[in-house]
Amino acid sequence: MKIKARREFLKKSLLGLTGAAVVPGTLNAAPNSGQPVSSYAPIPTRALGRTGIQSPVISMGTGATSSSNFIRAAYDYGIRLFFSATYYGEGNNEKLVGEALKGLPRNSFVVGTAAPPDGFDNRTGTFTKDFSPDSYKKKADDSLNRFGLEYVDIFMLPMVCSKESVLYEPVLNVLNDLKKQGKTRFLGIATHDTCAEAVAAAAASGVYDVIMVSYNYKVQDKDNLHMAMDTAARAGLGLMAIKTTAGVFRDNSGTSAINTNAALKWVLQNDNISTIVSGMSNIEQLQKNVEMTQNLKLSDQELKDLNLAQLEAEPSLYCQQCKRCLPQCPRNLDIPTIMRSYMYAYGYRSMEQAWYTLQQTGLTGDVCGSCDKCRVSCSAGFDVRNRIQDIARLRDVPMEFLRT
């Protein structure tokens, strides 16, 4: 992408909406002795399944931060669970987390990470013949080593959605080896779509200890998902919720904000949820999340805000990942993953996560250009072609450009 085109992209697109993501002072927030730095009461805790971990109801997803001081500040505010992934900052985020927690008592925090294996087809949710156990073991070892810790507490298999992928024996063998070798204490999955099937499979596996599941007030098929979550909780698995606000904004311009306190409290009304993994990027968000935990009861206004959000006629930014679009697309595009990238960019203002998610889709050429009219009818009412062509421009922006 030429310099002029990059500037135009900044001025006219999503990047221009996200430039002020970091509150002044965030990057220079100095770590202290580990004592609480606020006047808030301690964050309430819940048992994380059979792991023995008492988890604060808010945990930190670190993918949106590039400051070790900010991660340490979260610890000082009472956050104790920190989650990274191999694809955050091309592995540098794992180093950042290790650096932030260095010198603290090892039993005073919990670190988790996720490594997606090669040879996984997002469209079908299954592994392909390209999966290599040796390659995945190396990826896992490299991930663990970047933290600079003797072990991580939770190692997760991300992006899985089908029973077949959750129980794929070659992957389970690698995961079990990591646990036997003491490189991780617990194993888990992270699932974004067809969550009920994935959660039920993990509960029946006898291998996994925790589940990270997409769960919010807009999620469909709640009855089946709740039944699967009940089954998993009874089996002793700890449940952690992600995508809990269904995006921070409901529109591209960022003028229609979601009542995030209401959305988070809605999730925590489910006693099976041990903690929310919130992607925080600045002190303001951190303080707001901690303050929310001081009273988990939904107020009348918060209930009203959620009800109004449910009744909105306009399509939101949250994709249900139902995959009904896949057989409709003549180019066989991975539309659900593309829509997740779009949501990360516009809904969460997380440009790096949007970029990495988009890379998984393998978009090439003039996206949608060969179709004079989009044949995809989205169950959520999205203008699929418009959103794909919009977010596809992010392909050509170098990652280092997004960090400046």
Side-chain angles (χ1 to χ4, degrees), residues 14 108 240 242:
L14 45 94
S108 71
M240 303 177 288
I242 54 175

Side-chain angles (χ1 to χ4, degrees), residues 86-125:
T86 58
Y87 43 87
Y88 291 161
E90 298 175 312
N92 289 320
N93 187 266
E94 292 171 320
K95 295 179 183 178
L96 194 74
V97 174
E99 177 186 337
L101 302 176
K102 188 176 182 180
L104 294 171
R106 184 61 184 89
N107 62 357
S108 71
F109 61 84
V110 174
V111 167
T113 196
D118 297 327
F120 184 76
D121 186 345
N122 283 322
R123 295 172 182 82
T124 62

Side-chain angles (χ1 to χ4, degrees), residues 12-41:
K12 294 185 176 180
S13 72
L14 45 94
L15 282 177
L17 301 173
T18 62
V22 179
V23 171
T26 295
L27 300 183
N28 295 318
N32 65 17
S33 63
Q35 298 301 313
V37 297
S38 71
S39 58
Y40 300 122

